[in-house]
Amino acid sequence: MGHTEADLARVLNTGPFHQALRAALSVRGLPLQRVQHHLAHRGIKVGVTSLCYWQQGARRPRRPESLRAVRALEEVLELPAQSLIRLLGADAAGARGHRPPAPGSHRGLAGLTGEAERLLARDGPPRGGLETLVLQEHVRIGADRRLLGRDALHVVRARRDGVDRFLAVHRGDSGCDPDRVEVSALENCRPGRIRRDRATGTVAAELLFDAALRVGETYVFGYGFEDGTGGPSGASVRAFGGRGGQYLLQVRFGPGALPLRCRRFAGAADGTPRGVRTELAVSPRHRTVHLLEQSVRPGVLGIEWEWE
């Protein structure tokens, strides 16, 4: 189940902005590509990636053209005038005090809130306890263009003695029902506590290692999230809290769901775009696209795609 009209009315009143936008998209049932299309008809150019960042809380609209887009979103999503703009003004002070995640934090994606954030802050893995050496992530998109799931193989090194767990985070697309997302411990770990935040479509899963690591010791483990509950997907994004090792992302599309084009994109920790978007070749036979980053930097990295 997605958000209801009652959920939307509540979050439009209380905020924050990204949760209100996410709820509106879910209730109206509009994929980001259609929203982008409606905005373009109004003479406003906003990328799908920017819309994705806004609804995830990874970036806030601040520039005049972005604020113009927010006002247009109120029309497109049939919301009361000033309802979204008001939320941006209400928490502007908090945005000025925002700092990017500290290096070594275990936020799988930017902008965690609710139960996932409370688990991380209260009794999650110690920040800075693990260094990522290799991360291989495989994302599956179904024939209906929905995110079916993602699997990850992680190679880490302990920066201190006693680290014995990792907090994996999954944030679904608009309309995701985190109560129906399944967590799998695939290799060299077992599931611990799991927290789900319906307001943001976030699942935080504690993965327990076989033994506590000693400083300098490496460890290999694998995990996965089975989703399939959100709307059409337009990107796969991962945030990195600090410098890391090699990152491989491969996206496989279902039969009959090959996108028109795919692009690599990257951004700084504050969401500012880094470099130009690079076209990526899609294998028509295997229906896959991938990116390989030899040494990740703090910020966001991922692949975005456009449907016909």
Side-chain angles (χ1 to χ4, degrees):
M1 292 175 55
H3 295 84
T4 65
E5 288 283 357
D7 295 331
L8 176 57
R10 174 183 55 80
V11 76
L12 282 175
N13 183 55
T14 63
F17 167 80
H18 72 277
Q19 291 188 18
L21 177 58
R22 188 181 187 89
L25 291 167
S26 174
V27 171
R28 302 299 181 240
L30 283 177
L32 296 182
Q33 288 79 10
R34 290 298 302 167
V35 173
Q36 182 191 41
H37 179 75
H38 285 299
L39 292 176
H41 269 285
R42 289 168 168 79
I44 301 173
K45 294 183 178 181
V46 178
V48 170
T49 303
S50 293
L51 293 171
C52 182
Y53 285 164
W54 291 356
Q55 70 161 345
Q56 290 179 346
R59 185 189 299 172
R60 289 167 49 84
R62 290 188 175 91
R63 296 180 298 176
E65 57 267 36
S66 297
L67 297 178
R68 179 172 169 241
V70 172
R71 293 187 178 92
L73 280 171
E74 294 171 348
E75 298 179 9
V76 171
L77 298 172
E78 300 177 358
L79 302 176
Q82 302 296 314
S83 56
L84 291 178
I85 287 291
R86 178 186 63 82
L87 294 176
L88 286 173
D91 57 8
R96 287 194 295 269
H98 173 75
R99 294 182 179 180
S105 72
H106 294 284
R107 296 173 183 236
L109 292 174
L112 295 185
T113 58
E115 286 298 321
E117 173 67 11
R118 284 192 285 273
L119 172 64
L120 179 62
R122 185 181 67 242
D123 50 8
R127 296 192 178 192
L130 292 172
E131 173 188 5
T132 294
L133 301 179
V134 179
L135 174 57
Q136 297 180 355
E137 191 167 27
H138 297 269
V139 174
R140 290 170 281 115
I141 306 297
D144 58 0
R145 302 181 177 181
R146 297 173 184 262
L147 171 65
L148 297 182
R150 62 177 72 239
D151 298 332
L153 181 68
H154 222 121
V155 184
V156 296
R157 179 164 52 209
R159 287 178 168 169
R160 63 182 69 171
D161 290 332
V163 181
D164 64 353
R165 68 196 64 193
F166 178 84
L167 190 70
V169 179
H170 170 77
R171 172 167 265 164
D173 290 306
S174 178
C176 169
D177 182 359
D179 292 333
R180 294 165 53 199
V181 174
E182 298 180 3
V183 181
S184 301
L186 303 176
E187 188 170 354
N188 298 330
C189 63
R190 64 187 188 279
R193 291 160 296 182
I194 299 175
R195 298 292 184 269
R196 306 172 191 271
D197 186 357
R198 294 193 63 191
T200 60
T202 303
V203 179
E206 192 179 50
L207 301 171
L208 307 177
F209 301 161
D210 293 338
L213 304 180
R214 297 186 299 271
V215 61
E217 189 174 2
T218 58
Y219 198 76
V220 180
F221 63 101
Y223 56 91
F225 294 93
E226 295 296 319
D227 193 337
T229 67
S233 182
S236 180
V237 187
R238 178 169 283 270
F240 296 90
R243 290 188 176 275
Q246 184 187 83
Y247 177 52
L248 169 66
L249 169 62
Q250 177 177 275
V251 181
R252 184 182 300 276
F253 299 96
L258 208 61
L260 288 176
R261 60 184 59 88
C262 296
R263 298 186 183 92
R264 172 198 180 276
F265 66 89
D270 63 359
T272 304
R274 178 188 288 151
V276 298
R277 284 173 169 78
T278 306
E279 293 281 343
L280 297 174
V282 181
S283 168
R285 179 179 179 182
H286 301 289
R287 304 187 305 277
T288 60
V289 63
H290 79 277
L291 68 79
L292 176 64
E293 194 79 4
Q294 293 292 353
S295 181
V296 300
R297 293 188 286 171
V300 293
L301 183 63
I303 299 174
E304 64 179 357
W305 51 86
E306 297 179 18
W307 300 111
E308 184 178 358

Coordinates of all heavy atoms in Angstrom, one line a residue, residues 235-286:
A235 N 15.9 5.7 -11.8 CA 17.3 5.9 -11.4 C 17.6 4.9 -10.3 O 16.8 4.4 -9.6 CB 17.6 7.3 -11.0
S236 N 18.9 4.6 -10.2 CA 19.5 3.9 -9.1 C 20.6 4.8 -8.5 O 21.6 5.1 -9.2 CB 20.0 2.5 -9.5 OG 20.6 1.8 -8.4
V237 N 20.4 5.2 -7.3 CA 21.3 6.2 -6.6 C 21.9 5.6 -5.4 O 21.2 4.9 -4.6 CB 20.5 7.4 -6.3 CG1 21.5 8.5 -5.7 CG2 19.7 7.9 -7.4
R238 N 23.2 5.8 -5.1 CA 23.8 5.4 -3.8 C 24.6 6.6 -3.4 O 25.3 7.3 -4.1 CB 24.7 4.2 -4.0 CG 25.4 3.8 -2.7 CD 26.0 2.4 -2.7 NE 25.0 1.4 -2.6 CZ 24.7 0.8 -1.4 NH1 25.2 1.3 -0.3 NH2 23.8 -0.2 -1.4
A239 N 24.6 6.8 -2.0 CA 25.3 7.9 -1.4 C 26.5 7.3 -0.7 O 26.4 6.3 0.0 CB 24.5 8.7 -0.5
F240 N 27.6 8.0 -0.7 CA 28.8 7.5 0.0 C 29.3 8.6 0.9 O 29.4 9.8 0.6 CB 30.0 7.3 -1.0 CG 29.7 6.1 -2.0 CD1 29.0 6.4 -3.2 CD2 30.0 4.8 -1.6 CE1 28.8 5.3 -4.1 CE2 29.7 3.8 -2.5 CZ 29.1 4.0 -3.7
G241 N 29.4 8.3 2.2 CA 29.7 9.2 3.2 C 31.2 9.6 3.2 O 31.5 10.7 3.8
G242 N 32.0 8.8 2.6 CA 33.5 9.2 2.6 C 34.1 8.5 1.4 O 33.5 7.9 0.6
R243 N 35.4 8.7 1.3 CA 36.2 8.1 0.2 C 36.2 6.6 0.4 O 36.2 6.1 1.5 CB 37.6 8.6 0.1 CG 37.6 10.1 -0.3 CD 39.1 10.5 -0.5 NE 39.1 11.9 -1.1 CZ 39.0 12.2 -2.4 NH1 38.9 11.2 -3.2 NH2 39.0 13.5 -2.8
G244 N 36.1 5.9 -0.7 CA 36.1 4.4 -0.6 C 36.8 3.8 -1.8 O 37.5 4.4 -2.5
G245 N 36.6 2.5 -1.9 CA 37.2 1.7 -3.0 C 36.4 1.7 -4.2 O 35.8 2.6 -4.7
Q246 N 36.4 0.5 -4.8 CA 35.8 0.3 -6.1 C 34.3 0.1 -6.0 O 33.8 -0.6 -5.1 CB 36.4 -0.9 -6.8 CG 35.9 -1.2 -8.2 CD 36.4 -2.5 -8.8 OE1 35.9 -3.6 -8.5 NE2 37.5 -2.4 -9.5
Y247 N 33.5 0.7 -6.9 CA 32.0 0.5 -6.9 C 31.6 0.1 -8.3 O 31.9 0.8 -9.3 CB 31.4 1.8 -6.5 CG 29.8 1.8 -6.6 CD1 29.1 0.8 -5.9 CD2 29.1 2.7 -7.3 CE1 27.7 0.7 -6.0 CE2 27.7 2.7 -7.4 CZ 27.1 1.7 -6.7 OH 25.7 1.7 -6.7
L248 N 30.9 -1.0 -8.3 CA 30.3 -1.5 -9.6 C 28.8 -1.6 -9.4 O 28.3 -2.2 -8.5 CB 30.9 -2.9 -9.9 CG 30.1 -3.7 -11.1 CD1 30.4 -2.9 -12.4 CD2 30.6 -5.1 -11.1
L249 N 28.1 -0.9 -10.3 CA 26.7 -0.9 -10.3 C 26.2 -1.4 -11.7 O 26.6 -0.9 -12.7 CB 26.1 0.5 -10.1 CG 24.6 0.7 -10.4 CD1 23.8 -0.2 -9.4 CD2 24.2 2.2 -10.3
Q250 N 25.4 -2.5 -11.6 CA 24.8 -3.1 -12.9 C 23.3 -3.1 -12.7 O 22.8 -3.5 -11.7 CB 25.3 -4.5 -13.2 CG 24.7 -5.1 -14.4 CD 25.2 -6.4 -14.8 OE1 26.2 -6.5 -15.4 NE2 24.6 -7.5 -14.3
V251 N 22.6 -2.6 -13.7 CA 21.2 -2.6 -13.7 C 20.7 -3.5 -14.9 O 21.1 -3.4 -16.0 CB 20.6 -1.2 -13.9 CG1 19.1 -1.2 -13.9 CG2 21.1 -0.2 -12.9
R252 N 19.8 -4.4 -14.5 CA 19.2 -5.4 -15.5 C 17.8 -5.1 -15.7 O 17.0 -5.0 -14.7 CB 19.4 -6.8 -15.1 CG 18.9 -7.8 -16.2 CD 19.1 -9.3 -15.7 NE 20.5 -9.6 -15.4 CZ 21.4 -9.9 -16.4 NH1 21.0 -10.0 -17.6 NH2 22.6 -10.2 -16.0
F253 N 17.3 -4.8 -16.9 CA 15.9 -4.5 -17.2 C 15.2 -5.7 -17.7 O 15.7 -6.6 -18.4 CB 15.9 -3.4 -18.3 CG 16.6 -2.1 -17.9 CD1 17.9 -1.9 -18.2 CD2 15.9 -1.2 -17.1 CE1 18.5 -0.7 -17.9 CE2 16.5 0.0 -16.7 CZ 17.8 0.2 -17.1
G254 N 13.9 -5.8 -17.4 CA 13.1 -6.9 -17.7 C 12.7 -6.9 -19.2 O 12.9 -5.9 -19.9
P255 N 12.2 -8.1 -19.7 CA 11.8 -8.2 -21.1 C 10.8 -7.1 -21.5 O 9.8 -6.8 -20.7 CB 11.2 -9.6 -21.2 CG 11.8 -10.3 -20.0 CD 12.0 -9.3 -18.9
G256 N 11.1 -6.4 -22.6 CA 10.1 -5.4 -23.0 C 10.2 -4.1 -22.3 O 9.4 -3.2 -22.5
A257 N 11.2 -3.9 -21.4 CA 11.4 -2.7 -20.6 C 12.7 -2.1 -20.8 O 13.3 -1.6 -19.8 CB 11.1 -3.1 -19.1
L258 N 13.2 -2.1 -22.0 CA 14.5 -1.4 -22.3 C 14.3 0.1 -22.4 O 13.5 0.6 -23.2 CB 15.1 -2.0 -23.6 CG 16.6 -2.0 -23.7 CD1 17.2 -2.9 -22.6 CD2 17.0 -2.5 -25.1
P259 N 15.1 0.9 -21.6 CA 14.9 2.3 -21.7 C 15.5 2.9 -23.0 O 16.3 2.3 -23.7 CB 15.7 2.8 -20.5 CG 16.7 1.7 -20.3 CD 16.1 0.4 -20.7
L260 N 15.1 4.1 -23.2 CA 15.6 4.8 -24.4 C 17.0 5.2 -24.3 O 17.8 5.0 -25.3 CB 14.8 6.1 -24.6 CG 13.3 6.0 -25.1 CD1 12.7 7.4 -25.2 CD2 13.3 5.3 -26.5
R261 N 17.5 5.6 -23.1 CA 18.9 6.0 -22.9 C 19.2 5.9 -21.4 O 18.3 6.0 -20.6 CB 19.2 7.4 -23.4 CG 18.4 8.5 -22.8 CD 18.7 9.8 -23.4 NE 18.4 9.8 -24.8 CZ 17.2 10.1 -25.3 NH1 16.2 10.4 -24.5 NH2 17.0 10.1 -26.6
C262 N 20.5 5.7 -21.1 CA 20.9 5.7 -19.7 C 22.1 6.6 -19.6 O 22.9 6.8 -20.5 CB 21.4 4.3 -19.3 SG 20.0 3.0 -19.4
R263 N 22.3 7.2 -18.4 CA 23.3 8.1 -18.2 C 23.9 7.9 -16.8 O 23.2 7.6 -15.8 CB 22.9 9.6 -18.2 CG 22.4 10.1 -19.6 CD 22.1 11.5 -19.5 NE 21.5 12.0 -20.8 CZ 20.2 12.1 -21.0 NH1 19.3 11.7 -20.1 NH2 19.7 12.6 -22.1
R264 N 25.2 8.0 -16.7 CA 25.9 8.1 -15.4 C 25.8 9.5 -14.8 O 26.0 10.5 -15.6 CB 27.4 7.7 -15.5 CG 28.2 7.8 -14.3 CD 29.7 7.8 -14.7 NE 30.6 8.0 -13.5 CZ 30.9 9.1 -12.9 NH1 30.4 10.3 -13.4 NH2 31.7 9.2 -11.9
F265 N 25.6 9.6 -13.5 CA 25.6 10.9 -12.9 C 26.3 10.8 -11.6 O 26.4 9.8 -10.9 CB 24.2 11.5 -12.8 CG 23.3 10.8 -11.8 CD1 23.3 11.1 -10.5 CD2 22.5 9.7 -12.3 CE1 22.5 10.4 -9.6 CE2 21.7 9.0 -11.4 CZ 21.7 9.4 -10.1
A266 N 26.8 11.9 -11.1 CA 27.5 12.0 -9.8 C 27.2 13.4 -9.2 O 27.0 14.4 -9.9 CB 29.0 11.8 -10.0
G267 N 27.3 13.5 -7.9 CA 27.1 14.7 -7.2 C 27.9 14.8 -5.9 O 28.3 13.7 -5.4
A268 N 28.2 16.0 -5.5 CA 28.9 16.2 -4.2 C 28.0 15.8 -3.0 O 26.8 15.5 -3.2 CB 29.4 17.6 -4.1
A269 N 28.6 15.9 -1.8 CA 27.8 15.5 -0.6 C 26.6 16.4 -0.4 O 25.6 15.9 0.2 CB 28.7 15.5 0.6
D270 N 26.7 17.6 -0.9 CA 25.5 18.5 -0.7 C 24.5 18.5 -1.8 O 23.6 19.2 -1.9 CB 26.0 20.0 -0.5 CG 26.8 20.5 -1.7 OD1 26.9 19.7 -2.7 OD2 27.2 21.7 -1.7
G271 N 24.7 17.5 -2.7 CA 23.8 17.3 -3.9 C 24.2 18.1 -5.1 O 23.5 18.0 -6.1
T272 N 25.2 19.0 -5.0 CA 25.6 19.7 -6.2 C 26.1 18.8 -7.3 O 27.0 17.9 -7.0 CB 26.7 20.7 -5.9 OG1 26.3 21.6 -4.8 CG2 27.1 21.6 -7.1
P273 N 25.7 18.9 -8.5 CA 26.2 18.0 -9.6 C 27.7 18.1 -9.8 O 28.3 19.2 -9.6 CB 25.4 18.5 -10.9 CG 24.2 19.2 -10.3 CD 24.6 19.8 -9.0
R274 N 28.3 16.9 -10.0 CA 29.7 16.9 -10.2 C 30.0 16.3 -11.6 O 29.7 15.2 -11.9 CB 30.3 16.0 -9.1 CG 31.8 15.8 -9.3 CD 32.3 14.7 -8.3 NE 32.3 15.2 -6.9 CZ 32.1 14.4 -5.8 NH1 31.8 13.1 -6.0 NH2 32.1 14.9 -4.6
G275 N 30.6 17.2 -12.5 CA 30.9 16.8 -13.8 C 29.6 16.7 -14.7 O 28.5 17.1 -14.3
V276 N 29.8 16.2 -15.9 CA 28.7 16.1 -16.9 C 28.1 14.7 -16.8 O 28.8 13.7 -16.5 CB 29.2 16.5 -18.3 CG1 29.7 17.9 -18.4 CG2 30.3 15.5 -18.8
R277 N 26.9 14.6 -17.2 CA 26.3 13.3 -17.3 C 26.8 12.5 -18.5 O 26.9 13.1 -19.6 CB 24.7 13.4 -17.4 CG 24.1 13.7 -16.1 CD 22.6 14.0 -16.3 NE 21.9 14.1 -15.0 CZ 22.0 15.1 -14.2 NH1 22.7 16.2 -14.5 NH2 21.3 15.1 -13.0
T278 N 27.2 11.3 -18.4 CA 27.8 10.5 -19.4 C 26.8 9.5 -19.9 O 26.3 8.7 -19.1 CB 29.1 9.8 -18.9 OG1 29.9 10.8 -18.3 CG2 29.8 9.1 -20.0
E279 N 26.7 9.4 -21.2 CA 25.8 8.4 -21.8 C 26.5 7.0 -21.6 O 27.7 6.8 -21.7 CB 25.6 8.6 -23.3 CG 24.9 9.8 -23.6 CD 23.4 9.7 -23.5 OE1 22.9 8.5 -23.4 OE2 22.6 10.7 -23.4
L280 N 25.6 6.0 -21.2 CA 26.1 4.6 -21.0 C 25.4 3.7 -22.0 O 24.2 3.9 -22.3 CB 25.7 4.2 -19.6 CG 26.4 5.0 -18.4 CD1 25.9 4.5 -17.1 CD2 27.9 4.8 -18.5
A281 N 26.2 2.8 -22.5 CA 25.7 1.8 -23.5 C 24.9 0.7 -22.8 O 25.3 0.2 -21.8 CB 26.8 1.2 -24.3
V282 N 23.7 0.4 -23.4 CA 22.9 -0.7 -22.9 C 23.0 -1.9 -23.8 O 23.0 -1.7 -25.0 CB 21.4 -0.2 -22.8 CG1 20.5 -1.4 -22.3 CG2 21.2 1.0 -22.0
S283 N 23.3 -3.0 -23.2 CA 23.4 -4.2 -24.0 C 22.0 -4.7 -24.3 O 21.2 -5.1 -23.5 CB 24.1 -5.3 -23.2 OG 23.9 -6.6 -23.8
P284 N 21.6 -4.7 -25.6 CA 20.2 -5.1 -26.0 C 20.0 -6.6 -25.8 O 18.9 -7.0 -25.6 CB 20.1 -4.7 -27.5 CG 21.5 -4.6 -27.9 CD 22.4 -4.2 -26.8
R285 N 21.1 -7.4 -25.9 CA 20.9 -8.8 -25.7 C 20.7 -9.2 -24.3 O 19.8 -10.0 -24.0 CB 22.1 -9.5 -26.3 CG 22.1 -11.0 -26.1 CD 23.3 -11.7 -26.7 NE 23.3 -13.1 -26.6 CZ 24.2 -14.0 -27.0 NH1 25.3 -13.5 -27.5 NH2 24.1 -15.3 -26.8
H286 N 21.5 -8.6 -23.4 CA 21.4 -9.0 -22.0 C 20.6 -8.0 -21.2 O 20.3 -8.2 -20.0 CB 22.8 -9.1 -21.4 CG 23.7 -10.1 -22.0 ND1 23.5 -11.4 -21.9 CD2 24.7 -10.0 -22.9 CE1 24.4 -12.1 -22.6 NE2 25.2 -11.2 -23.2

